[in-house]
Amino acid sequence: HAVKAPLKSVRGQGFIRASAQEVLKLIVNAEYRHQWDDLCDGGRVVRRLGLHSDVIYLSYQGKLGVAARDLCLLRAWRHAPDGSVLLIAHSIDFDEVPKVAGKAR
């Protein structure tokens, strides 16, 4: 079975003056992402799949040599008993979110 593209994974670490649950709540809320993400010019939940999963659309401006782009993401998240959180997102093709001319996907 051939692999179409390499797996890309991102992990970050830093200090944020908020609980993990507060940060997750902020990230999960696609409609307000443009308020804290300077490059995001819009976002919305396309379909809720469950209490902790959805499909979202995010649109980004192009700046500083980076092309304008949009994303359709399948996401799932959970809260661990120790207070940590996990969010997984994967770019998908979804009939309800057609590609936008002039934006890379």
Side-chain angles (χ1 to χ4, degrees):
H1 150 293
V3 176
K4 293 182 182 180
L7 176 64
K8 295 179 183 175
S9 178
V10 177
R11 180 178 176 188
Q13 183 175 345
F15 181 76
I16 299 172
R17 294 179 192 260
S19 70
Q21 290 78 15
E22 290 171 316
V23 173
L24 180 65
K25 184 178 177 182
L26 186 69
I27 292 171
V28 167
N29 193 332
E31 289 84 5
Y32 295 102
R33 188 174 190 116
H34 69 278
Q35 292 181 357
W36 58 268
D37 185 341
D38 292 339
L39 294 180
C40 183
D41 58 13
R44 65 184 168 89
V45 173
V46 176
R47 183 179 296 172
R48 293 215 183 276
L49 302 173
L51 186 59
H52 295 108
S53 59
D54 61 14
V55 174
I56 67 164
Y57 173 77
L58 295 172
S59 176
Y60 285 88
Q61 311 167 41
K63 284 191 179 176
L64 302 173
V66 176
R69 62 190 61 247
D70 67 351
L71 305 166
C72 180
L73 300 172
L74 171 63
R75 306 184 306 173
W77 58 92
R78 71 178 179 103
H79 303 264
D82 67 357
S84 63
V85 297
L86 173 69
L87 180 133
I88 298 171
H90 183 71
S91 181
I92 62 169
D93 290 325
F94 198 61
D95 289 341
E96 294 174 40
V97 183
K99 293 182 179 180
V100 175
K103 295 209 178 229
R105 182 169 295 176

